[in-house]
Amino acid sequence: MHIFPALLSQDITELQTQIKLLAAHCEGFHIDIMDGIFVRQKMGSIELTNQIAKLSGKQLWVHLMVQNPLEYIEQLKIHAGDIVTFHYLPNINQEPIIESIERKNLRPSLGINPKTQIATLKNALYAVDHVTVMSVEPGKAGQKFIHSTLKKLELLNAFKETHEKDITIAVDGGVNAINIAKLAALEVTEVAVTTAIFGSENPVKALKELSKKL
């Protein structure tokens, strides 16, 4: 499993310190962009994300919680192969969003909210090979892991097997030392982690401890 520390600071100097501290111990970094419309909170920006890409040679996982993802995708200047998560909505045509991400040699990931049922996603899942399962309500750090996420992961794995579809499963929200091994057992291969790392007095030690749980 790959652990992506979720960078929440809006200060580029602090971000530079965090990246330098953790880069040797993780696969990459997770970045949230929220527009204050799709979710209530406003955080992150394209400009800051592009700056982080210059600071780190690690893979980035950019999570767009925005009303108009196409507008943001066009402005991204990050590494080829970086992950870009956009959220599934039943009334939104996801094809142009996927195409826009792929044109930039980035990897599209379908974000699945806690209340979204796997059974409603059949057609949407055929179009991607990466999904981000939200294990908290999007838009706020520090929430507790929603236990029903485990059942959703089981259903997602059943879909993969039934339809012989190769999908990378990522989880975002509430991941900690208590549940990370359970997620790995359910074929989750990427997790975004905030509080369990940055809520510690020693983020490097906390990250290493999470890795040991695997």
Side-chain angles (χ1 to χ4, degrees):
M1 177 186 281
H2 297 153
I3 301 173
F4 287 71
L7 303 172
L8 295 183
S9 175
Q10 304 300 290
D11 180 79
I12 193 63
T13 302
E14 184 177 356
L15 286 169
Q16 189 169 15
T17 300
Q18 291 175 347
I19 290 168
K20 186 176 181 181
L21 189 67
L22 297 172
H25 309 285
C26 65
E27 182 70 18
F29 294 99
H30 180 276
I31 305 166
D32 283 330
I33 300 180
M34 309 178 194
D35 62 2
I37 302 172
F38 186 83
V39 292
R40 289 184 179 181
Q41 187 175 359
K42 187 170 184 178
M43 189 181 77
S45 67
I46 290 295
E47 293 75 19
L48 189 62
T49 300
N50 291 342
Q51 282 184 287
I52 292 170
K54 291 180 180 179
L55 291 174
S56 171
K58 291 283 184 173
Q59 185 178 31
L60 298 183
W61 172 7
V62 180
H63 189 167
L64 298 177
M65 286 174 269
V66 300
Q67 191 74 17
N68 184 4
L70 284 172
E71 177 184 337
Y72 286 77
I73 293 162
E74 290 303 318
Q75 299 176 65
L76 280 174
K77 296 178 182 178
I78 55 180
H79 318 122
D82 286 350
I83 303 162
V84 179
T85 296
F86 67 96
H87 278 253
Y88 168 82
L89 292 172
N91 59 335
I92 297 296
N93 182 3
Q94 68 184 32
E95 289 184 13
I97 301 172
I98 292 171
E99 290 172 359
S100 178
I101 295 169
E102 290 179 337
R103 277 199 301 271
K104 285 182 166 283
N105 294 315
L106 304 172
R107 190 177 187 188
S109 176
L110 186 68
I112 304 173
N113 287 342
K115 294 178 183 177
T116 303
Q117 301 300 312
I118 296 299
T120 68
L121 291 171
K122 181 176 179 181
N123 292 332
L125 290 172
Y126 279 125
V128 295
D129 63 4
H130 191 289
V131 298
T132 298
V133 179
M134 293 299 298
S135 44
V136 297
E137 292 295 335
K140 186 179 179 181
Q143 299 178 65
K144 291 184 178 180
F145 183 88
I146 297 173
H147 187 72
S148 60
T149 304
L150 300 178
K151 180 61 176 179
K152 182 172 286 186
L153 294 171
E154 290 177 2
L155 293 173
L156 190 53
N157 282 317
F159 173 89
K160 289 172 56 179
E161 184 175 350
T162 300
H163 299 277
E164 298 183 344
K165 173 69 175 172
D166 186 17
I167 299 175
T168 296
I169 303 175
V171 168
D172 181 4
V175 177
N176 56 34
I178 296 172
N179 56 38
I180 193 168
K182 293 179 183 178
L183 298 178
L186 288 167
E187 299 185 33
V188 174
T189 55
E190 295 168 349
V191 290
V193 183
T194 308
T195 305
I197 293 175
F198 294 108
S200 168
E201 293 182 1
N202 188 331
V204 172
K205 182 180 179 181
L207 178 53
K208 288 181 177 179
E209 288 298 321
L210 286 173
S211 297
K212 285 181 183 179
K213 295 291 182 180
L214 302 174

